[in-house]
Amino acid sequence: MTQYILRRIAVSLLVLWVIVTVTFFLMRIIPGGPFQGEKKLPPEIRKNIEERYKLNDPLLKQYGDYLTNLIHWDLGPSFKYKGQTVNDIIEKGFPISAALGGIAIMISLLVGIPAGIISALRQGRWPDYLAMFFSTIGISVPSFILATLLMYFISYKLHLLPSALWGSPKHVIMPAIALSGLPTAFIARLMRSSMLEVLGQDYIKTARAKGLPKIVIIYRHTIKNAIIPVVTYLGPLTAAILTGSFVVENIFAIPGLGKHFVTSIYNRDYTVIMGVTVFYSILLVTLNLLVDLAYAVIDPRIKLFEAKE
Amino acid sequence: MHIKKLVVALVVVLSMSLVIAGCGGDKPEAQVDSQEMVVRYNVGTPPETIDPALSTGIPEATIQAQIFEGLTRLDENQIPQPAAAESWEVSDDKTVYTFHIRKDAKWSNGDPVTAEDFAFAWERALNPANAADYAYQLYNIKNAAAYNKGEITDPSQLGIEVVDEKTLKVTLESPAVHFLSLTAFHTLYPVHKATVEADPEGWSLSADTLIGNGAFKVEKWENNVMEFVPNENYWNKDVVKIDRLIFTMVENENTELTMFENDELDMTHTAPLAELERLETEGKLKIYPYLGTYYYIFNTQKKPFDDVRVRKALALAIDRQALIDNVVKGGRKPALAFVPYGLPDMDGSDFRENGGTYYKDADIETAKQLLAEAGYPDGKGFPEIEILYNTSESHKIVAETIQEMWKQNLGITNVTLTNQEWGVYLNSRDEGDFMVARAGWIGDYPDPLTFLDMWTTGNGNNNTFWGSEQYDRLIETVRNSSDQKERMTLMHQAEDILMENMPIMPIYFYTDPVCIKPNLKGVKKSLLGEVDFSEAYLE
Amino acid sequence: MHFSAEMFRPLPREKKSTQEIVRPSTTYWQDAWRRLKKNPLAMAGLAFIIFLLLLATFGPMISPYSYSDQNLLNTFKGPSTKHWFGTDNLGRDVFTRVLYGARISLSIGIVASLVNFVIGVIYGGVAGYVGGKVDNVMMRIVDILYGIPFLLWVILLMVVIGPGLINIYIVLGVVYWLPMARIVRGQILSLKEQEYVLAAKTIGSSSRRILLRHLIPNTMGPIIVTMTLAIPEAIFTEAFLSFIGLGVSAPMASWGTLASEALSSLKSHPYLLFFPAAAICLTLFAFNFLGDGLRDALDPRMRK
């Protein structure tokens, strides 16, 4: 096990290196640059800026320098947010996005999993239809529409909550719901379908035939085996949601990290693009490793590595 | 129990976020005393930097306008008035300006504002190591350009001289008529030398170190909200009537509007296109003037735009008034010339009013005739053309309308629309990889030259590939002249040439429609977009 | 009664079989279709999708308006007998625009599901079934594709190939199968340790057969659910891609574009959001009913 984890960490570093390299060159290939606008900068000013940010070094040297700094977790200065480093930007934005995202994931799990279980156990009856009706709406309404509608009804029509901004528990409610809508619906559907899958398996029939109490069958045999797709989905979902959603943060004016994933690319703010990509990738790779380890915990039969190791 | 292990596994994934959720999302809201006069304004995008030397945008300029003050301030007619400087003398040849800073001009921490603070701030903006985008705003100053380019490295050679604590003498490279307007611009604001020297990168990032000399000082800045209170050390503090000024930083204009209509804001920084009509009928809208022109550029290297008759025909065939009334709204004015309204001519009257219009709006007859002369009667045989715009709903809707107008009015049916992401679009324009492209120009300073000097041959902002030697000569003369009469006459002539050749197709002159509470008075919004709340009050 | 030898003759050889299978032999797919037909909700979903496809194909020919005809004097008019869904900000007929939008959005939905099904299921299936090093390498490739910013691919593609519907398909093809691959791989990892797989191996079934016949059909539930999620995501991603400049050119607009643009005028003209959003929702319901029906129909245990 330890050996497996160590090997996975080594491979993860390789994965990160590939992501860094591809992203670095991809962003430099696409047209546009960080210091352009409707108004052109005079060439001498441009030269000063390029010197300051070392953009006139050969590309390979810039790449090498970036890798060297990255090893020391120095993500460089932002081109757009003068005076701030990318480390600053992540340190400021991530706690906010992660707080909101953590709540959204909790909602998704606490609502989605029970909803899926109940509708599977009551297949074809009204709780099932109700849950599936709402989850179908949930997956067809994306977060930006849900967020706008929430704000329209709850703030604009009913005046129940402040429309936007961040800082008090009241400010968390609408964005958390908007963010959790789609994952909740998806987890409910995923849970329901794999529950149905498992409920049809022979060992459940055996368990029933043995006369095990229904509750034991459901908990010990069904949910445990049915939760694998949900756990799989949780890896990328958690990475994406903890680092913030551009649309939800934009609509509710939340000073999180999510905006930088999109605006840094529009601004061609190279260091920020790289920084948030690296940060997200580390989170993703780690969570996917945790998911794989969780498989082994949930279902001991799953072999992630060859037995001889 | 395996199920317990499972729960543990899930909790491991989530615990970290919960911990953060517990301590991050729970801060009490600012206690606002109901007796206080509080004004809430949304500046839009969170600022990139509040450092006056380094910033470039309008939200930044608006924040700076509350907390800093230059030597001069522009009044409603764009005439410079005394501000941090109580008076000044100009030498006869208009190259030496001596400013007398107010005795009672103080920083928000009580220190006196000195000539040294200005000299320090200006040198800082010009220092090539700081790579300020707007350093060129100071190029009028003697040796400034050379210093910024690194040709000279000794800052004492700059034409900035600290005569004594309150006297600043500025020597210019050549006579510049608008230098007194320039000293009102944010790049030339002073900064508190001691604070900036202590933390040159980070001083403008925290409320504690944001020392200013303006009407307000920053009390709190977190979570996209900036709170100001009056600066008790401001020399003119008696004009400040509000007790607290709150700036929110909400980028999304629909959210901003909801906040306004929900009484969470007293004024917005813009208003969504699709809601303008309703807001106007409900009396929530106020339309401020704005110094800008929305236009299309033609790539004059490409057929059929190499033919001036085609360019003119396309420009004449659109019905700007219909476009404004039904599509873009917001009290915009049809652009029948390039330089917008609001700029003073030689005698203080309006440059545009004096220059008049160069063509009739929706002159379809002439347009058809010109198109026929160019060899495309009723649009027959007209090659396939493409309108390029950067991604935005408002640009798209204008492009769609113009596409339809060319079809209806000229019979040109094969016009396609292409939108590109901002960076790609700018690149396509630079490379000349377009036929017709959307463009917009916002003036930098209140002089027609800011709209005209960009059309010289080979200018980086002239993407039309059009050029005229005569035009270049006129602009060159204007640049070196300090005689307003001569300058204005020549600039009218330059605009004549530009409009005669029509490498561009002006569409409308911008306005700045915003939502504002009817009881909010005394707000000053400059032609360049920044808002000043120093004399604002609630009725 | 007298029997003579002449009265008897041998049966033709071919009919002489002693055992006869009464039920015609059906393939897996025929069987699935037979069961699908018995599911009213699924058939309703299928009928609705076919109806939509017909409407999207022929509707615009019948409509008296085109998607681009403007009438600047008739903007923002609510639904009426003349304009069933009202008119938009340029006085265009929203009903016609929704019909044209269906062409784009439905094709996007179908491509997204195909990409998911073909690439995602097979990729995830192989990784999960083969396991070990192969799995590790294949899943790390998925991680890499997840990690590189999507928007960068999009801008690169836009620059290299230019706008058009085909490019949207390419973008979907590059990234849209990633969640599916992970979900299928996770399921297969667990399922391949089941007894029936061991049984199949024992009787010498090929890996390909085990994967396609035993494992993937048993993963159908999560596959269908993931697919029904991928469709709306793809529809709205298309709107985003069009916004960036990769999709169909204005004035043509998909449902996703119509819905997202209507958000800005929600307070003044809510009907502009209602119609495209309702179209997406109804389509999604139809796909979901069909998906659930398919899941049941393809479930090997339900085969009678």
Side-chain angles (χ1 to χ4, degrees), chain A residues 4-18:
Chain A
Y4 173 74
I5 294 174
L6 286 176
R7 212 182 49 193
R8 272 290 291 267
I9 291 173
V11 175
S12 297
L13 290 176
L14 190 72
V15 166
L16 281 176
W17 174 75
V18 175

mmCIF file of all heavy atoms in Angstrom, chain A residues 4-18:
data_model
loop_
_atom_site.group_PDB
_atom_site.id
_atom_site.type_symbol
_atom_site.label_atom_id
_atom_site.label_comp_id
_atom_site.label_asym_id
_atom_site.label_seq_id
_atom_site.Cartn_x
_atom_site.Cartn_y
_atom_site.Cartn_z
ATOM 1 N N TYR A 4 2.566 1.607 -3.113
ATOM 2 C CA TYR A 4 1.640 2.068 -4.153
ATOM 3 C C TYR A 4 1.482 3.580 -4.086
ATOM 4 O O TYR A 4 1.579 4.281 -5.089
ATOM 5 C CB TYR A 4 0.288 1.384 -3.974
ATOM 6 C CG TYR A 4 -0.772 1.923 -4.908
ATOM 7 C CD1 TYR A 4 -0.755 1.607 -6.262
ATOM 8 C CD2 TYR A 4 -1.775 2.773 -4.442
ATOM 9 C CE1 TYR A 4 -1.712 2.108 -7.121
ATOM 10 C CE2 TYR A 4 -2.734 3.276 -5.290
ATOM 11 C CZ TYR A 4 -2.697 2.942 -6.630
ATOM 12 O OH TYR A 4 -3.639 3.449 -7.467
ATOM 13 N N ILE A 5 1.289 4.083 -2.849
ATOM 14 C CA ILE A 5 1.084 5.527 -2.692
ATOM 15 C C ILE A 5 2.337 6.284 -3.125
ATOM 16 O O ILE A 5 2.238 7.271 -3.874
ATOM 17 C CB ILE A 5 0.721 5.861 -1.230
ATOM 18 C CG1 ILE A 5 -0.639 5.250 -0.916
ATOM 19 C CG2 ILE A 5 0.695 7.366 -1.002
ATOM 20 C CD1 ILE A 5 -1.056 5.371 0.524
ATOM 21 N N LEU A 6 3.501 5.788 -2.704
ATOM 22 C CA LEU A 6 4.741 6.468 -3.086
ATOM 23 C C LEU A 6 4.897 6.489 -4.603
ATOM 24 O O LEU A 6 5.246 7.509 -5.199
ATOM 25 C CB LEU A 6 5.950 5.768 -2.448
ATOM 26 C CG LEU A 6 6.108 6.035 -0.948
ATOM 27 C CD1 LEU A 6 7.268 5.220 -0.392
ATOM 28 C CD2 LEU A 6 6.323 7.522 -0.695
ATOM 29 N N ARG A 7 4.563 5.356 -5.224
ATOM 30 C CA ARG A 7 4.693 5.314 -6.668
ATOM 31 C C ARG A 7 3.698 6.276 -7.330
ATOM 32 O O ARG A 7 4.027 6.964 -8.288
ATOM 33 C CB ARG A 7 4.461 3.887 -7.162
ATOM 34 C CG ARG A 7 5.290 3.585 -8.397
ATOM 35 C CD ARG A 7 5.027 2.207 -8.902
ATOM 36 N NE ARG A 7 3.595 1.976 -9.017
ATOM 37 C CZ ARG A 7 3.044 0.784 -9.207
ATOM 38 N NH1 ARG A 7 3.819 -0.284 -9.277
ATOM 39 N NH2 ARG A 7 1.753 0.645 -9.323
ATOM 40 N N ARG A 8 2.508 6.322 -6.760
ATOM 41 C CA ARG A 8 1.512 7.240 -7.326
ATOM 42 C C ARG A 8 1.973 8.695 -7.182
ATOM 43 O O ARG A 8 1.751 9.516 -8.078
ATOM 44 C CB ARG A 8 0.162 7.066 -6.619
ATOM 45 C CG ARG A 8 -0.734 5.997 -7.225
ATOM 46 C CD ARG A 8 -1.276 6.383 -8.583
ATOM 47 N NE ARG A 8 -2.242 7.468 -8.541
ATOM 48 C CZ ARG A 8 -3.542 7.261 -8.459
ATOM 49 N NH1 ARG A 8 -4.046 6.060 -8.430
ATOM 50 N NH2 ARG A 8 -4.365 8.292 -8.434
ATOM 51 N N ILE A 9 2.603 9.005 -6.060
ATOM 52 C CA ILE A 9 3.074 10.381 -5.886
ATOM 53 C C ILE A 9 4.145 10.701 -6.920
ATOM 54 O O ILE A 9 4.132 11.771 -7.538
ATOM 55 C CB ILE A 9 3.586 10.601 -4.442
ATOM 56 C CG1 ILE A 9 2.386 10.554 -3.488
ATOM 57 C CG2 ILE A 9 4.324 11.937 -4.314
ATOM 58 C CD1 ILE A 9 2.741 10.581 -2.031
ATOM 59 N N ALA A 10 5.026 9.754 -7.163
ATOM 60 C CA ALA A 10 6.057 9.965 -8.176
ATOM 61 C C ALA A 10 5.420 10.192 -9.539
ATOM 62 O O ALA A 10 5.786 11.130 -10.268
ATOM 63 C CB ALA A 10 6.997 8.763 -8.216
ATOM 64 N N VAL A 11 4.441 9.343 -9.868
ATOM 65 C CA VAL A 11 3.762 9.518 -11.156
ATOM 66 C C VAL A 11 3.044 10.861 -11.185
ATOM 67 O O VAL A 11 3.016 11.542 -12.212
ATOM 68 C CB VAL A 11 2.782 8.347 -11.399
ATOM 69 C CG1 VAL A 11 1.984 8.581 -12.661
ATOM 70 C CG2 VAL A 11 3.533 7.035 -11.492
ATOM 71 N N SER A 12 2.473 11.270 -10.041
ATOM 72 C CA SER A 12 1.751 12.538 -9.996
ATOM 73 C C SER A 12 2.660 13.712 -10.334
ATOM 74 O O SER A 12 2.245 14.652 -11.005
ATOM 75 C CB SER A 12 1.156 12.756 -8.604
ATOM 76 O OG SER A 12 0.210 11.754 -8.339
ATOM 77 N N LEU A 13 3.890 13.642 -9.865
ATOM 78 C CA LEU A 13 4.833 14.717 -10.186
ATOM 79 C C LEU A 13 5.055 14.779 -11.691
ATOM 80 O O LEU A 13 5.120 15.859 -12.283
ATOM 81 C CB LEU A 13 6.155 14.500 -9.449
ATOM 82 C CG LEU A 13 6.074 14.721 -7.936
ATOM 83 C CD1 LEU A 13 7.402 14.401 -7.276
ATOM 84 C CD2 LEU A 13 5.659 16.154 -7.616
ATOM 85 N N LEU A 14 5.118 13.616 -12.297
ATOM 86 C CA LEU A 14 5.273 13.553 -13.753
ATOM 87 C C LEU A 14 4.046 14.174 -14.439
ATOM 88 O O LEU A 14 4.169 14.966 -15.378
ATOM 89 C CB LEU A 14 5.444 12.091 -14.166
ATOM 90 C CG LEU A 14 5.862 11.856 -15.611
ATOM 91 C CD1 LEU A 14 7.311 12.272 -15.794
ATOM 92 C CD2 LEU A 14 5.665 10.399 -15.988
ATOM 93 N N VAL A 15 2.872 13.813 -13.912
ATOM 94 C CA VAL A 15 1.630 14.363 -14.464
ATOM 95 C C VAL A 15 1.654 15.885 -14.361
ATOM 96 O O VAL A 15 1.355 16.599 -15.319
ATOM 97 C CB VAL A 15 0.410 13.788 -13.707
ATOM 98 C CG1 VAL A 15 -0.851 14.578 -14.027
ATOM 99 C CG2 VAL A 15 0.217 12.322 -14.057
ATOM 100 N N LEU A 16 2.049 16.400 -13.206
ATOM 101 C CA LEU A 16 2.106 17.844 -13.014
ATOM 102 C C LEU A 16 3.070 18.489 -13.996
ATOM 103 O O LEU A 16 2.782 19.529 -14.577
ATOM 104 C CB LEU A 16 2.550 18.173 -11.580
ATOM 105 C CG LEU A 16 1.468 18.064 -10.527
ATOM 106 C CD1 LEU A 16 2.056 18.320 -9.157
ATOM 107 C CD2 LEU A 16 0.363 19.072 -10.812
ATOM 108 N N TRP A 17 4.209 17.833 -14.189
ATOM 109 C CA TRP A 17 5.191 18.389 -15.108
ATOM 110 C C TRP A 17 4.602 18.473 -16.529
ATOM 111 O O TRP A 17 4.764 19.477 -17.217
ATOM 112 C CB TRP A 17 6.464 17.532 -15.101
ATOM 113 C CG TRP A 17 7.437 17.986 -16.122
ATOM 114 C CD1 TRP A 17 8.235 19.097 -16.073
ATOM 115 C CD2 TRP A 17 7.707 17.371 -17.386
ATOM 116 N NE1 TRP A 17 8.973 19.208 -17.215
ATOM 117 C CE2 TRP A 17 8.662 18.158 -18.038
ATOM 118 C CE3 TRP A 17 7.206 16.220 -18.021
ATOM 119 C CZ2 TRP A 17 9.152 17.836 -19.313
ATOM 120 C CZ3 TRP A 17 7.683 15.903 -19.271
ATOM 121 C CH2 TRP A 17 8.651 16.704 -19.910
ATOM 122 N N VAL A 18 3.896 17.428 -16.933
ATOM 123 C CA VAL A 18 3.296 17.461 -18.272
ATOM 124 C C VAL A 18 2.267 18.593 -18.353
ATOM 125 O O VAL A 18 2.248 19.370 -19.318
ATOM 126 C CB VAL A 18 2.642 16.101 -18.625
ATOM 127 C CG1 VAL A 18 1.918 16.197 -19.960
ATOM 128 C CG2 VAL A 18 3.671 15.001 -18.655
#
